[in-house]
């Protein structure tokens, strides 16, 4: 057994299982990988949630959300998942990404696989209501923000693909119980999507133990880089964490001015529409930040700048409340840019240094909390806001 602080990763030679164990303040998490295409330690680490409903969080090292990573690493993951994507799926094929963490992952998987299917259409769930026709609502019961909304596509041709969809592709960063996927499937069928005959779940890590396959009323194919199961042994003497008030699905006082064609109101293709005048020097250390669910356009910008020769990392702000420690080396706290008045966070950035930071928004420049700008100024001499105004 190889021990690293409170983390243990070892392999049982008889069963060829990777086993990962981490002791947190509130208990011990053990995950066992029964099928994998990557090593556990390269894909994720564990952090402690500030959430009484679930004390632990799988923190991806390749997602570009809580740990900044290079755009090329993220693109490589999209392609790895694409290589495992099923063939001969009945179309139209409806892809849905889960807000907020997996919006960018879902858009990347869609971009890499849409040429393999007939009549693809991409949607993301959201916690930020927009002007459009609501398709359905569903719950993510264990989350810090439980309520999700899904809208019909704005374009009639894409709306028709949703109506006629025969395959449903559900994308999230990880699955622990499968309940969120099943809740969404039930909501879509109740909303009138009666032609769905096959489900595909796509995750980086799937710890649900085939729960969706076993419980779904329809056939299911699963795609992930690691599959297995988890066990949580709670410390009953540990204090119950207090969660900040982030469970809000509502319009804020600040309007969204960015285009919604990257997912909230349907998409079948996307190009970078922000930061066209931004260029970089070879080797320049650049951090590109998305904000909340607005990550796909910022990722495309980050990818372009990396291709120009900069040393680029991509990350994003989030409303997910996580304790410092373990996978979280540093935390910035500030108020959201949508006028909801809820706490937002930026993880694993404050302890680093960059030449330039590009903070990307779908809200006006004036919506940024100056507390965030002040903290970013400590780690980079140049901090720029990139958006639609």
């Amino acid at each position: 057994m190889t021990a690293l602080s409170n983390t243990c990763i070892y392999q049982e030679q008889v069963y060829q299982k990777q086993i990962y164990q981490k002791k947190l303040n509130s208990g011990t998490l053990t995950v066992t990988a029964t099928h994998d295409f990557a090593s556990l330690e390269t894909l994720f680490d564990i952090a402690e949630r500030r959430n009484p409903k679930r004390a632990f969080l799988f923190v991806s090292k390749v997602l570009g959300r809580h740990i900044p990573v290079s755009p090329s690493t993220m693109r490589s993951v999209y392609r790895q998942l694409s290589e495992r994507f099923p063939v001969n799926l009945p179309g139209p094929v409806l892809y849905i990404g889960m807000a907020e963490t997996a919006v960018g992952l879902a858009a990347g998987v869609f971009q890499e696989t849409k040429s393999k299917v007939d009549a693809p259409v991409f949607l993301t769930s959201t916690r930020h209501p927009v002007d459009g026709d609501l398709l359905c609502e569903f719950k993510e019961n264990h989350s810090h923000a439980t309520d999700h909304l899904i809208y019909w596509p704005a374009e009639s041709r894409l709306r028709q693909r949703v109506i006629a969809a025969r395959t449903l592709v559900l994308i999230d960063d990880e699955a622990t119980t499968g309940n969120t996927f099943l809740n969404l499937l039930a909501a879509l069928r109740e909303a009138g999507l009666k032609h769905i005959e096959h489900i595909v779940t796509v995750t980086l890590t799937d710890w649900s133990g085939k729960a969706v396959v076993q419980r779904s009323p329809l056939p299911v194919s699963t795609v992930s880089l690691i599959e297995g199961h988890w066990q949580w042994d709670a410390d009953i003497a540990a204090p119950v964490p207090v969660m900040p008030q982030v469970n809000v699905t509502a319009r804020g006082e600040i309007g969204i001015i960015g285009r919604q064609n990257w997912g909230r109101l349907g998409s079948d293709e996307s190009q970078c529409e922000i930061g066209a005048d931004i260029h970089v020097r070879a080797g320049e250390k650049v951090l590109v930040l998305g904000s909340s669910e607005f990550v796909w356009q910022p990722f495309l910008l980050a990818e372009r700048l990396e291709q120009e020769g900069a040393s680029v990392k991509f990350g994003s702000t989030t409303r997910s409340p996580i304790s410092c420690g373990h996978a979280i080396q540093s935390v910035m706290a500030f108020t959201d840019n949508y006028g909801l008045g809820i706490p937002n966070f930026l993880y694993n950035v404050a302890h680093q240094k960059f030449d330039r930071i590009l903070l990307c928004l779908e809200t006006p420049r004036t919506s940024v909390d100056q507390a965030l700008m002040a903290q970013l100024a400590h780690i980079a001499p140049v901090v720029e806001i990139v958006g639609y105004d």
Side-chain angles (χ1 to χ4, degrees), residues 15 21 45 85 125 158 160 191 236 268 281 314 341:
Y15 301 105
Q21 188 173 84
D45 199 353
F85 202 73
S125 72
L158 298 183
Q160 287 303 312
I236 60 174
D268 65 345
R281 305 184 309 273
F314 182 83

Side-chain angles (χ1 to χ4, degrees), residues 20 27 66 111 116 131-132 135-136 220 249 263 278 324 352 382:
Y20 175 107
H66 306 107
Q111 192 177 68
K116 301 181 178 184
D131 293 331
L135 170 58
C136 70
V220 178
T249 298
I278 294 175
C324 199
Q352 302 195 58
V382 178

Side-chain angles (χ1 to χ4, degrees), residues 154-219:
E155 291 187 48
S156 59
R157 65 182 182 88
L158 298 183
R159 185 180 290 227
Q160 287 303 312
R161 291 183 185 180
V162 172
I163 293 171
R166 296 172 62 200
T167 297
L168 176 63
V169 181
L170 303 177
I171 307 165
D172 208 348
D173 57 316
E174 50 93 6
T176 48
T177 64
N179 288 338
T180 303
F181 284 155
L182 293 167
N183 289 348
L184 174 52
L185 173 60
L188 291 170
R189 296 178 83 190
E190 186 174 341
L193 301 193
K194 303 297 186 183
H195 302 292
I196 298 172
E197 58 190 71
H198 192 86
I199 312 296
V200 181
T201 64
V202 181
T203 57
L204 296 173
T205 56
D206 184 351
W207 308 115
S208 65
K210 298 290 186 182
V212 178
V213 174
Q214 295 167 5
R215 295 165 54 197
S216 171
L218 300 173

Side-chain angles (χ1 to χ4, degrees), residues 196 274 278 334 389:
I196 298 172
I274 62 171
I278 294 175
F334 46 94
D389 60 345

Side-chain angles (χ1 to χ4, degrees), residues 44-99:
F44 72 93
D45 199 353
I46 301 297
E48 198 137 20
R49 290 175 182 258
R50 295 162 60 192
N51 184 341
K53 290 182 287 186
R54 181 176 290 174
F56 60 88
L57 178 72
F58 291 93
V59 179
S60 173
K61 295 180 178 180
V62 298
L63 185 66
R65 172 66 70 168
H66 306 107
I67 299 176
V69 299
S70 68
S72 55
T73 295
M74 298 167 66
R75 178 64 70 178
S76 173
V77 167
Y78 306 155
R79 289 173 176 161
Q80 289 176 61
L81 292 169
S82 174
E83 291 169 359
R84 294 162 179 79
F85 202 73
V87 296
N88 301 321
L89 294 171
V93 178
L94 169 59
Y95 294 69
I96 298 181
M98 302 295 166

Side-chain angles (χ1 to χ4, degrees), residues 254-258 291 294 337-339 360-368 385-389:
I254 298 170
I256 294 172
I257 62 174
S291 47
F294 183 63
N337 57 297
Y338 294 88
C360 303
L361 305 174
E362 60 176 352
T363 53
R365 294 170 183 264
T366 55
S367 64
V368 180
I385 298 175
V386 183
Y388 293 88
D389 60 345

